[in-house]
Amino acid sequence: MTEMLSIGERVAWYRRRRGIPQEVLAGLVGRTADWLSKVENGRIELDRVSVIKSLADALDVQLGDLLAEPSLMDWTTDAQGGTVPKLREALMDYKLMSPLLAPTSGGEPPDLEILRADVGSAWSAYQDARYARATRLIPDILTEAQHAVRAYGGDEQLQAKALLAMAYQGAAMVLTKIGEADLAWMAADRGLAVAQESRNLDVIGSLFRSVSHCLLANGRPAAARDLIKDSTGYLESGLGNASPTYLSIYGTLFLVGSMAAARLDDRSAVREFLAEADRVAQRLGHDANHMWTAFGPTNVAIHRVSTAMELGDVQIAADLGPRVDPSMLPLERRVRHTLELARAYSAQNRTGEALALVLDAEELAPEQVRYHLISRQLVTTWVRQQRGKPSNLLAGIAQRLRVVG
């Protein structure tokens, strides 16, 4: 019902539904009625998740309600065979939740190397920003991985559990990207449970990352920050002879923590988390993609820009952003950085440069731009700020993102 509205208009819509005067809602979030009026009328742009979350709490709605998430996944060639409903069905299949109820599987057990390759294919689709493809692949992978866990014993069963955990994490990551926060939490929760059964510290650490992302997506940055502190403390003992994969997973947790701290306006914690991430990245020595982390010095630099924007330090983000060269990172990381830089330029009223960046990002990763909060919010704001007819470029991307009627 509110998909075509800006965030400010959604605030007004839910405020009226709640019967809350502007002065009261403004007071609940420590702001003035004049500020809230400008937010609702589009004269002040809400571009910080921490502020949006405070309004959601005051209105007693989910963060996703104000962000208009989830967005309907488009039917594409990649989506043939089902999209989110098929993945939801797989996650909610009670027969796969308990070995007591699981069907007796006939035939040969799944080949673990083939299963490993399939999990890798799903993760590659995620990092290539082909979310429809990942969403289509994962349900069958979950079924095969569950079958493998039941069919094998000993070390092979532990391997199967590790692969099942990574399949769940892949589901959680892509569902978070397309705004399905509740489903993502279900996948991450199950993934962490089976990861612990696998006794694989790399996999356990990876699932800590996924759960932290889901907490952020569900508007719980304090819980995400605390989980990062607890999980890095748990993993710290393994740093002595840590492999590059272990270092990448450990370092990536601090990057998630930096975003959680930024959404809490905790500058000290942001600096601490980024410093720890940088220390691990320097120890790793280069950019890498071990266990699909895209971790290294460049991803640390990307998060310096993202946290600066979340803290409201627009000039810092605009200065740092162009200095980062993410060309060697997976597509998802490159496009995410481009969108962040576009947000910084837009905040400086450099709309033309910002639009050019969003269009470049769309050409590279149309699905990521279609579903991402930043791109959708920017385009909605630009269209509504137009006094006359929008340019063909702006009107075109607004139509493709379906952010205006």
Side-chain angles (χ1 to χ4, degrees):
M1 187 180 298
T2 65
E3 187 178 15
M4 300 300 180
L5 303 182
S6 67
I7 293 178
E9 288 169 333
R10 288 183 210 113
V11 170
W13 191 86
Y14 283 110
R15 179 181 61 76
R16 295 186 188 108
R17 287 288 299 267
R18 293 294 190 203
I20 304 175
Q22 278 186 337
E23 306 80 40
V24 173
L25 179 58
L28 290 173
V29 296
R31 305 281 183 152
T32 65
D34 180 63
W35 174 86
L36 182 60
S37 176
K38 289 177 179 177
V39 164
E40 293 183 350
N41 292 326
R43 286 179 287 167
I44 290 180
E45 182 180 350
L46 287 178
D47 58 2
R48 297 178 62 192
V49 175
S50 57
V51 177
I52 301 170
K53 179 62 167 59
S54 67
L55 287 164
D57 289 344
L59 291 166
D60 193 27
V61 298
Q62 297 293 321
L63 176 63
D65 293 330
L66 295 187
L67 301 181
E69 294 179 329
S71 300
L72 183 64
M73 178 169 277
D74 290 339
W75 281 333
T76 65
T77 302
D78 277 345
Q80 289 181 359
T83 57
V84 175
K86 183 178 179 181
L87 182 49
R88 178 183 289 110
E89 183 179 345
L91 290 172
M92 299 181 73
D93 185 350
Y94 72 89
K95 293 181 180 179
L96 300 181
M97 293 173 61
S98 170
L100 300 176
L101 304 175
T104 301
S105 302
E108 293 294 320
D111 183 290
L112 291 181
E113 289 308 310
I114 293 176
L115 182 58
R116 197 182 314 277
D118 289 343
V119 171
S121 294
W123 269 93
S124 293
Y126 164 76
Q127 290 197 320
D128 290 339
R130 296 176 64 183
Y131 301 142
R133 174 174 168 78
T135 304
R136 174 173 62 82
L137 291 175
I138 290 171
D140 290 340
I141 295 172
L142 288 173
T143 300
E144 285 294 283
Q146 290 278 7
H147 180 188
V149 169
R150 295 191 303 269
Y152 289 109
D155 182 65
E156 289 179 319
Q157 185 182 66
L158 295 180
Q159 292 181 50
K161 287 182 176 181
L163 291 171
L164 176 59
M166 294 307 297
Y168 273 129
Q169 184 180 1
M173 298 296 277
V174 73
L175 286 167
T176 298
K177 285 291 186 183
I178 61 178
E180 295 279 359
D182 290 342
L183 273 184
W185 173 259
M186 180 188 299
D189 178 62
R190 293 189 187 166
L192 181 57
V194 74
Q196 293 173 88
E197 294 178 3
S198 77
R199 307 175 197 168
N200 185 320
L201 282 179
D202 290 344
V203 175
I204 292 171
S206 193
L207 267 296
F208 282 144
R209 166 194 169 200
S210 187
V211 172
S212 300
H213 273 300
C214 288
L215 287 170
L216 281 178
N218 278 282
R220 299 186 61 197
R225 176 202 57 196
D226 293 345
L227 175 57
I228 294 302
K229 290 180 178 179
D230 291 340
S231 59
T232 52
Y234 173 76
L235 294 171
E236 189 174 9
S237 62
L239 289 176
N241 297 311
S243 67
T245 297
Y246 196 92
L247 287 174
S248 297
I249 291 165
Y250 183 73
T252 300
L253 287 169
F254 288 111
L255 296 182
V256 182
S258 72
M259 291 303 298
R263 292 184 185 179
L264 293 166
D265 283 317
D266 188 343
R267 292 174 179 272
S268 175
V270 170
R271 288 193 296 270
E272 177 185 340
F273 282 129
L274 288 175
E276 286 295 323
D278 187 58
R279 181 180 63 81
V280 179
Q282 295 307 318
R283 180 175 168 183
L284 183 64
H286 58 275
D287 293 323
N289 194 29
H290 299 294
M291 202 169 274
W292 306 286
T293 56
F295 183 72
T298 302
N299 209 351
V300 175
I302 286 174
H303 278 77
R304 291 192 189 282
V305 177
S306 296
T307 53
M309 279 304 298
E310 190 54 52
L311 290 167
D313 299 331
V314 175
Q315 189 61 56
I316 292 175
D319 289 343
L320 292 178
R323 303 177 194 173
V324 179
D325 178 10
S327 59
M328 300 305 293
L329 296 188
L331 182 62
E332 181 274 333
R333 288 286 80 204
R334 303 195 320 256
V335 169
R336 177 66 176 82
H337 177 65
T338 299
L339 293 179
E340 198 69 80
L341 186 56
R343 180 161 68 139
Y345 285 170
S346 181
Q348 294 181 322
N349 294 317
R350 298 161 65 180
T351 304
E353 295 171 82
L355 175 58
L357 287 174
V358 173
L359 290 170
D360 287 344
E362 185 194 26
E363 185 174 355
L364 291 171
E367 287 186 71
Q368 186 171 354
V369 173
R370 164 77 172 88
Y371 300 115
H372 205 283
L373 164 66
I374 292 178
S375 47
R376 294 174 64 83
Q377 184 177 343
L378 286 176
V379 172
T380 300
T381 300
W382 295 335
V383 169
R384 293 179 180 277
Q385 286 176 345
Q386 297 293 306
R387 295 187 178 181
K389 184 179 179 181
S391 68
N392 290 337
L393 289 176
L394 180 55
I397 192 169
Q399 184 178 25
R400 292 190 296 276
L401 268 57
R402 298 186 179 89
V403 296
V404 293

